[in-house]
Amino acid sequence: MKKLDKIIIGILLLGGFVSIFLNDMLPYPHIKGPEELVYAVNQEGRYISTDEVAKMIMEKDPSLLLIDIRSPQEYEKFTLEGAMNIPADSLMNPANRDYLDQDVYTTVLFSNGSSAADEAWLMLKSYGYEGNKVMKGGLNEWYRTILKPIKPADEELTAELEKQYLFRKGAQIYFTGAQIIGNSAPKKASKPSKPIVKRKKKEVSGGCG
Amino acid sequence: MIGPLYPQGLLNPEYNLLIGFLIGIGFGFLLEAAGFTNTRKLAGVFYGYDATVIKVFFTAAVTALLGLFIMHNMGIIDVTLTFYPKTFWIATLIGGAIMGLGFIIGGFCPGTSLSAAATGKIDAWVFIGGVMLGIFGFIFTYESLWEKLRGMGKMGKVDIAQWLGIREGIFIFLFVLLSVASFYVFQKWQDAWKNKLSKEDIDELGL
């Protein structure tokens, strides 16, 4: 064996030996330092209103992917039409990455209020997961605005508010099956089969040797 | 470029192509310089009289492996941004067997055939013609013959260390040991051949 061969083999063996003591390869957190964190938190663009979500559901918008981050028990009781369940504690499960980090769908996270979905969004964001939104106000807001919309008082009724109210009334009929007068219990949302999401980030395909 | 600059959007597609072009020139140049455009060199791996190809490919793989792993741990490069393909073990096994046959019959791998063609070897041009025939043959018979085979043995994205349930560092160390052992064995094998061959044979084989 030549001297150079021995040196190269020595370096490789040394590198291999060093590797034993190193950690497994995990994704890097993409948010570094408090400034970036504050900036991310203050991005209002992550919110989507219940009205917008309702509109997308009613229009059967194929780009909408609703993700219920509450527990499976809560999900069983009530959820939005077409939503899939990824409980908050399994968000980082690699199997779910296809749903939570892609740019094909508008992924909307929701929970009962805003804060749990906000936290989930921030965690995903900090690992570089893109393309997620948070339904502002969560299911509580959904109930207030879509399932039981309140008619604005006459004195503050502007054309815009009236339009919004009419839309919500229409959405209420769609989601609850309520008659125009009177209410009935919310219709149980249909449980969807898992949508097939193909991760379509800027993933470059490899070549051959 | 497979990663990590391009997937992060740090390079536009034009620069990406340019870098690919430059790396390609370097790759072709070094293939020629290392004698890989000689069919006997590649076939030598299969007959056992020349271990260069094995040594070069294992060294390249191990260097890249160690470099990426250590740099990832030092916070220099995010390996998760690079690409690796999904595993279809049955399809890969069959494809690998076909490729190995092509290697030993033709004496080129797809990359070296292009380098050799550039140096004016007629057999390399014929080989490329064969590659094209194979590609078009595959395309036109894909739906009838190959579509099922392509998805066989689907395992998703597999990391061998995770699959074996050991730490990545341990696996890397074992892999380095394995490749060093293979250098040693192949070198012995090659030396044994050299003692058997006459001077003329060695010249003929370009050793």
Side-chain angles (χ1 to χ4, degrees):
Chain A
M1 228 181 276
K2 286 180 215 144
K3 200 177 167 199
L4 184 65
D5 289 358
K6 283 184 187 160
I7 295 173
I8 291 173
I9 287 176
I11 294 172
L12 294 181
L13 281 176
L14 181 71
F17 186 69
V18 169
S19 298
I20 298 179
F21 303 101
L22 297 179
N23 297 320
D24 286 355
M25 295 182 286
L26 296 170
Y28 288 176
H30 284 237
I31 291 184
K32 297 171 200 85
E35 294 89 358
E36 284 188 29
L37 194 70
V38 170
Y39 176 74
V41 172
N42 288 332
Q43 275 182 312
E44 282 288 321
R46 70 175 178 278
Y47 288 119
I48 184 167
S49 71
T50 48
D51 289 332
E52 288 171 274
V53 173
K55 193 158 178 257
M56 288 175 93
I57 297 178
M58 284 155 65
E59 287 173 349
K60 306 221 182 312
D61 190 329
S63 73
L64 178 69
L65 178 59
L66 287 162
I67 294 178
D68 189 341
I69 62 157
R70 302 170 307 155
S71 66
Q73 292 82 3
E74 286 174 297
Y75 173 76
E76 274 304 310
K77 268 192 205 149
F78 174 76
T79 192
L80 296 181
E81 191 176 315
M84 62 180 286
N85 183 219
I86 302 180
D89 53 11
S90 54
L91 281 172
M92 294 313 292
N93 187 329
N96 292 326
R97 185 159 186 166
D98 284 353
Y99 300 107
L100 298 169
D101 185 23
Q102 37 86 24
D103 53 12
V104 181
Y105 289 82
T106 308
T107 324
V108 178
L109 309 171
F110 65 92
S111 58
N112 287 325
S114 274
S115 51
D118 252 347
E119 280 168 21
W121 180 88
L122 192 61
M123 181 168 73
L124 293 172
K125 178 85 183 166
S126 72
Y127 278 92
Y129 285 30
E130 297 290 347
N132 299 305
K133 284 186 180 294
V134 172
M135 187 167 87
K136 187 148 191 164
L139 287 174
N140 294 335
E141 184 72 10
W142 179 264
Y143 186 81
R144 271 196 300 276
T145 54
I146 307 294
L147 298 184
K148 289 236 163 133
I150 298 159
K151 192 168 190 222
D154 282 341
E155 53 268 27
E156 59 190 31
L157 194 65
T158 59
E160 203 170 301
L161 271 178
E162 190 176 6
K163 205 174 150 205
Q164 187 189 45
Y165 176 69
L166 286 176
F167 166 76
R168 286 175 178 178
K169 259 320 211 192
Q172 181 191 24
I173 294 164
Y174 177 89
F175 286 107
T176 65
Q179 297 304 308
I180 300 196
I181 311 157
N183 297 305
S184 64
K187 176 176 77 175
K188 205 167 170 5
S190 57
K191 292 286 177 295
S193 53
K194 264 195 162 189
I196 300 154
V197 176
K198 215 168 171 260
R199 201 167 121 86
K200 229 181 152 186
K201 286 218 80 179
K202 278 182 222 141
E203 199 166 36
V204 202
S205 52
C208 80
Chain B
M1 221 178 165
I2 292 172
L5 298 179
Y6 186 62
Q8 290 189 90
L10 295 176
L11 279 180
N12 61 30
E14 289 78 20
Y15 276 112
N16 196 37
L17 280 177
L18 180 68
I19 291 181
F21 179 70
L22 294 176
I23 293 177
I25 288 179
F27 185 60
F29 184 84
L30 291 175
L31 279 182
E32 166 64 20
F36 278 27
T37 54
N38 181 349
T39 49
R40 295 183 185 92
K41 202 121 191 151
L42 276 173
V45 183
F46 296 92
Y47 293 113
Y49 60 75
D50 193 336
T52 317
V53 177
I54 288 281
K55 285 197 274 189
V56 166
F57 275 90
F58 263 96
T59 315
V62 171
T63 309
L65 175 72
L66 288 174
L68 282 174
F69 186 63
I70 293 173
M71 284 200 283
H72 181 92
N73 265 279
M74 289 165 72
I76 297 173
I77 183 170
D78 189 350
V79 170
T80 54
L81 290 176
T82 55
F83 168 86
Y84 69 99
K86 292 187 178 120
T87 301
F88 298 88
W89 72 271
I90 296 176
T92 310
L93 196 71
I94 295 172
I98 295 172
M99 179 140 170
L101 272 175
F103 247 110
I104 191 163
I105 297 171
F108 291 115
C109 102
T112 61
S113 72
L114 293 173
S115 291
T119 65
K121 291 195 176 70
I122 291 170
D123 54 345
W125 284 102
V126 175
F127 188 91
I128 292 175
V131 170
M132 290 296 160
L133 264 181
I135 290 172
F136 285 114
F138 177 82
I139 292 170
F140 289 119
T141 56
Y142 174 69
E143 276 168 10
S144 51
L145 288 177
W146 310 104
E147 202 166 5
K148 277 216 185 86
L149 176 71
R150 188 172 176 260
M152 274 164 85
K154 185 175 181 180
M155 294 171 77
K157 284 200 172 189
V158 189
D159 183 306
I160 298 180
Q162 273 172 15
W163 189 65
L164 292 172
I166 56 176
R167 283 184 36 237
E168 284 167 0
I170 307 262
F171 173 75
I172 288 172
F173 180 63
L174 293 177
F175 189 81
V176 173
L177 284 187
L178 179 79
S179 33
V180 170
S182 76
F183 293 159
Y184 188 74
V185 170
F186 274 98
Q187 189 64 47
K188 286 272 162 218
W189 201 354
Q190 185 179 332
D191 292 344
W193 261 92
K194 269 199 183 148
N195 296 335
K196 259 195 292 183
L197 295 171
S198 64
K199 174 88 178 56
E200 292 77 49
D201 286 341
I202 290 176
D203 287 344
E204 165 70 20
L205 292 172
L207 294 174

